[in-house]
Amino acid sequence: MNKSRRTRILIDYGRAAALRMAGTIEGSYPIEMISGPNEALTMIKVRESAQNSLFYLGEVLVTETKVRVAGKLGIGIVKGHEAELSRALAVIDAAYSAELPETHEWQAILEELELAGEEAIERRQRELARTKVNFETMNQ
């Protein structure tokens, strides 16, 4: 599983799991804090489809953390005021970069989280679809 997919799963579906996963690493390895959870503004880049050009839509507040675990750098960036999650994501990223043995167990956890999250989204969409109004039948 690549870094982008792993991070997306943890942010969208597994905040509590991310904190637990980071806790297992923090309990077993020394964590060197390179830059603590810092809030910053970052520009959102968007591609305009008609002319296929890039422009900046605006700014978004992010929380960024950089740590080192077993000599490997880890970065965690998350939208909003999320210091704990940002730190957890940085620790998890460093653990994967260092190929720590704990990361092998996480693959199944991440796949379960993704499946459960997608099922919840599908269930919600089915619930919303049941309430959808068919305007063509209202006029008859």
Side-chain angles (χ1 to χ4, degrees):
M1 180 176 300
N2 67 20
K3 181 178 182 176
S4 175
R5 181 176 167 205
R6 177 179 66 233
T7 303
R8 176 61 43 214
I9 291 168
L10 290 171
I11 290 172
D12 288 347
Y13 313 126
R15 291 171 181 259
L19 296 175
R20 282 193 309 273
M21 293 161 79
T24 62
I25 298 300
E26 291 171 347
S28 303
Y29 301 90
I31 308 294
E32 178 189 346
M33 185 68 67
I34 295 174
S35 67
N38 296 318
E39 293 176 353
L41 291 173
T42 187
M43 297 295 287
I44 300 175
K45 194 183 303 186
V46 178
R47 182 166 301 279
E48 190 269 323
S49 59
Q51 296 180 352
N52 200 26
S53 62
L54 292 174
F55 70 96
Y56 291 99
L57 184 63
E59 295 177 326
V60 66
L61 177 71
V62 297
T63 305
E64 178 182 25
T65 305
K66 294 179 185 175
V67 300
R68 190 179 321 271
V69 177
K72 298 291 183 177
L73 179 68
I75 300 173
I77 301 174
V78 65
K79 182 174 63 172
H81 301 283
E82 297 280 350
E84 286 182 11
L85 182 59
S86 174
R87 178 180 163 85
L89 291 174
V91 170
I92 291 167
D93 183 40
Y96 270 99
S97 295
E99 298 178 359
L100 299 179
E102 290 84 353
T103 60
H104 301 297
E105 304 166 5
W106 294 348
Q107 182 69 24
I109 295 169
L110 290 170
E111 288 173 356
E112 279 181 30
L113 285 171
E114 184 177 39
L115 183 63
E118 288 173 353
E119 287 174 355
I121 289 171
E122 288 174 13
R123 189 171 44 254
R124 179 72 176 139
Q125 287 175 341
R126 283 193 304 271
E127 290 173 3
L128 289 174
R130 280 190 282 138
T131 64
K132 186 176 179 181
V133 176
N134 185 352
F135 288 99
E136 291 176 7
T137 60
M138 290 178 68
N139 291 332
Q140 296 176 355

